[in-house]
Amino acid sequence: MSTSTDHGGPDDPSVTIALTPDGRPVSDRGDTVCVIGAGASGLTTVKNLKEHGFGVDCYERETGVGGAWNWRHDRSPVYASTHLISSRPFTQFPDFPMPDSWPDYPHHSQLLAYFERYADHFDLRQHIWFGTEVVRVEPVAGDRWDVTTRSTGGYGPERTSRYAAVVVANGHNWSPKLPEYEGLADFRGETMHASAYKDPAQLRGKRVLVVGAGNTGCDIAVEAAQQAATCWHSTRRGYWYAPKYVLGRPADQINDLLLALRVPLRVRQWLYHRTMRLTVGDLTRFGLPAPDHRVYETHPIANSQLVYYVGHGRITPAPDVRRFHPYAVELTDGRQIDPDLVVFATGYLPRFEFLDARLLGDEAGVGRPTLHLNAFPRNHPTLAVVGLVQPDSGLFPISHWQAVLVARLWQARQYRPERAEAFAATVAARAGKRYSGRVEDSSRHWFEVGHVDYLRAVQRALNELEAVR
């Protein structure tokens, strides 16, 4: 692979180098890199590849940038009150700060404006094909890739272009994870996944059961406490709930200071417990289940209001759902409740519907790729994933440095092949390594990373590829 300044799109006159099985031509895009998705991770990938001299074609199925943060997109999980749960300094791209006048936890509309300004500032739109979805990505000889696209919605003909490399940046918060319960099909009330929740008016005056204790589930439970006639909040297990502010500062900034000072995990856990005892005390007295794990073994839930509304009787904690009846929901403690509306805040599953899961090391096809640094698969040195992490801080800086590493690695394939080969050996040895201590084995937690440990690992990888610009 060589770098290139040719940034033309796949409609440019290109040499037909092959035919697909159904007789369509395959256009050669030369040394151009294909990026899938123009959300936060896709935009920073296009920007960093461009800065390192690569030609880039980016395909975005929607009509604008922003990915999950663009509420106009049909796959966006954003609802009216969505704000960041990581504070502004730890969320912004390192080379494009958010305005100082913005709040500590910006609103989703501000995030969308931020991405639009980012795309304009770095002149990224000329590389993006909006309204174009990727249908298939297939490996071909020479570590190259055939990428088949069409207009979003299946309209118009398919076309196939051959690329030197592919970056998958399609996000991981758009394919709902739907639970299965006995009797659910016969339930006469209303049910929805949290992805369909957009406005508190959907809860107003109803008897609402929220299932799931992630950040979204807690946000919806808090809104139900204010708008619904009754709110139950069902969780399978106990969780640690962290306030958004500690000592007058955003909580992630205090935690990052402790990490920067290399305060041992046990000491940080003790400080957390001490803080909780001095503020809200033992949460089990409100009926919340005790956590079955130590704090920081999974990421705490960032929510300052859930405990407040539980304490005021506006949210009733409930255990897991056992089964559904036509007009009631049975809980695992034997109680039956009668909600009008059940909201499943049960998370999302990473999906790569255009790609054979085995290419990413997901042999079982369950949405759990085996990747080095959550980005690099074994056996395919010109394929990478950016943004497949769930950090304990902001995602955008991590996506930025992942993209920098991808660009410098692919430069090394031409200018320092021995270092690229050494990196490939590291990928083979370390793919699947986790960067968050002991992590729960669940679809929600398996790709959690501690941002400090993870970024240190990325920096080590960059050091190994130094001087390849």
Side-chain angles (χ1 to χ4, degrees):
M1 182 194 307
S2 63
T3 57
S4 169
T5 57
D6 174 19
H7 299 303
D11 280 341
D12 289 351
S14 302
V15 178
T16 298
I17 56 175
L19 295 176
T20 64
D22 58 358
R24 288 179 292 102
V26 177
S27 299
D28 186 7
R29 295 293 298 135
D31 295 321
T32 303
V33 177
C34 172
V35 176
I36 302 172
S41 297
L43 288 175
T44 193
T45 299
V46 173
K47 176 256 183 190
N48 280 293
L49 286 170
K50 175 184 173 183
E51 288 185 346
H52 284 77
F54 291 94
V56 186
D57 290 339
C58 176
Y59 295 109
E60 169 54 55
R61 72 184 306 276
E62 303 290 353
T63 57
V65 301
W69 288 97
N70 192 328
W71 60 270
R72 303 180 185 93
H73 294 174
D74 60 359
R75 289 181 171 181
S76 172
V78 162
Y79 40 95
S81 63
T82 300
H83 288 72
L84 284 175
I85 60 171
S86 55
S87 66
R88 172 169 46 87
F90 289 95
T91 305
Q92 62 197 8
F93 291 117
D95 53 358
F96 194 75
M98 296 181 186
D100 290 339
S101 60
W102 280 13
D104 291 330
Y105 297 99
H107 185 257
H108 71 81
S109 60
Q110 293 174 300
L111 266 293
L112 177 57
Y114 175 70
F115 294 132
E116 289 173 337
R117 288 201 294 267
Y118 182 89
D120 292 337
H121 179 79
F122 292 108
D123 195 20
L124 304 182
R125 294 181 193 272
Q126 64 172 312
H127 303 281
I128 304 171
W129 290 77
F130 294 105
T132 304
E133 62 183 352
V134 175
V135 181
R136 287 182 301 279
V137 175
E138 302 165 299
V140 293
D143 291 326
R144 295 172 66 80
W145 299 87
D146 281 355
V147 178
T148 300
T149 60
R150 67 185 177 196
S151 295
T152 300
Y155 303 105
E158 294 183 355
R159 61 187 180 192
T160 301
S161 303
R162 185 160 295 174
Y163 288 94
V166 172
V167 178
V168 178
N170 66 328
H172 56 79
N173 284 324
W174 59 267
S175 179
K177 177 188 175 185
L178 293 169
E180 296 181 1
Y181 291 107
E182 181 183 354
L184 179 58
D186 298 322
F187 180 61
R188 302 298 178 87
E190 182 184 357
T191 63
M192 70 165 67
H193 187 271
S195 59
Y197 175 74
K198 299 301 176 185
D199 190 88
Q202 294 170 270
L203 311 173
R204 194 164 296 147
K206 297 180 180 180
R207 299 167 62 81
V208 177
L209 168 63
V210 180
V211 179
N215 290 297
T216 298
C218 291
D219 282 350
I220 296 175
V222 166
E223 296 199 347
Q226 301 170 67
Q227 300 290 335
T230 303
C231 175
W232 297 275
H233 188 203
S234 169
T235 61
R236 290 182 302 171
R237 53 187 295 203
Y239 292 86
W240 298 103
Y241 299 96
K244 282 193 165 184
Y245 286 91
V246 176
L247 302 177
R249 301 292 299 173
D252 61 350
Q253 297 180 22
I254 300 299
N255 187 52
D256 195 76
L257 175 62
L258 297 177
L259 290 169
L261 295 173
R262 296 183 181 269
V263 175
L265 174 61
R266 293 295 186 188
V267 176
R268 289 191 292 119
Q269 290 171 330
W270 180 86
L271 288 170
Y272 179 95
H273 288 296
R274 182 69 174 169
T275 301
M276 293 300 289
R277 281 198 300 271
L278 292 173
T279 53
V280 297
D282 182 4
L283 296 183
T284 60
R285 68 189 179 90
F286 295 120
L288 291 166
D292 60 358
H293 57 286
R294 296 180 64 85
V295 66
Y296 300 128
E297 289 179 350
T298 65
H299 298 165
I301 307 300
N303 194 298
S304 298
Q305 296 180 288
L306 183 83
V307 175
Y308 174 88
Y309 282 107
V310 170
H312 284 71
R314 293 297 300 148
I315 298 175
T316 301
D320 198 8
V321 172
R322 175 175 291 162
R323 60 159 295 157
F324 281 76
H325 298 279
Y327 296 100
V329 177
E330 182 179 337
L331 305 175
T332 53
D333 64 1
R335 281 185 291 161
Q336 289 195 9
I337 57 177
D338 54 345
D340 306 315
L341 170 65
V342 180
V343 181
F344 294 113
T346 45
Y348 300 84
L349 292 173
R351 284 188 61 194
F352 311 98
E353 50 197 353
F354 44 77
L355 193 66
D356 185 336
R358 293 172 294 184
L359 296 173
L360 297 177
D362 181 12
E363 300 298 332
V366 295
R368 295 194 189 189
T370 302
L371 306 169
H372 175 47
L373 293 171
N374 288 45
F376 302 99
R378 297 186 180 102
N379 305 320
H380 296 287
T382 54
L383 176 66
V385 180
V386 170
L388 186 61
V389 290
Q390 190 76 36
D392 58 353
S393 188
L395 171 64
F396 312 153
I398 288 180
S399 294
H400 167 87
W401 289 112
Q402 284 182 323
V404 170
L405 179 56
V406 168
R408 294 190 185 176
L409 171 63
W410 289 347
Q411 279 189 332
R413 282 175 56 81
Q414 179 180 5
Y415 300 113
R416 295 287 184 90
E418 74 283 357
R419 295 191 179 184
E421 291 172 5
F423 187 89
T426 300
V427 170
R430 297 184 183 175
K433 174 180 169 58
R434 293 176 172 178
Y435 295 88
S436 188
R438 187 175 77 85
V439 178
E440 295 296 316
D441 186 23
S442 72
S443 59
R444 175 184 166 200
H445 298 296
W446 71 268
F447 58 109
E448 287 186 352
V449 301
H451 74 286
V452 171
D453 290 341
Y454 183 87
L455 288 174
R456 284 172 180 161
V458 171
Q459 185 61 60
R460 286 193 295 270
L462 286 169
N463 292 341
E464 295 169 1
L465 295 169
E466 64 183 351
V468 298
R469 296 186 184 186

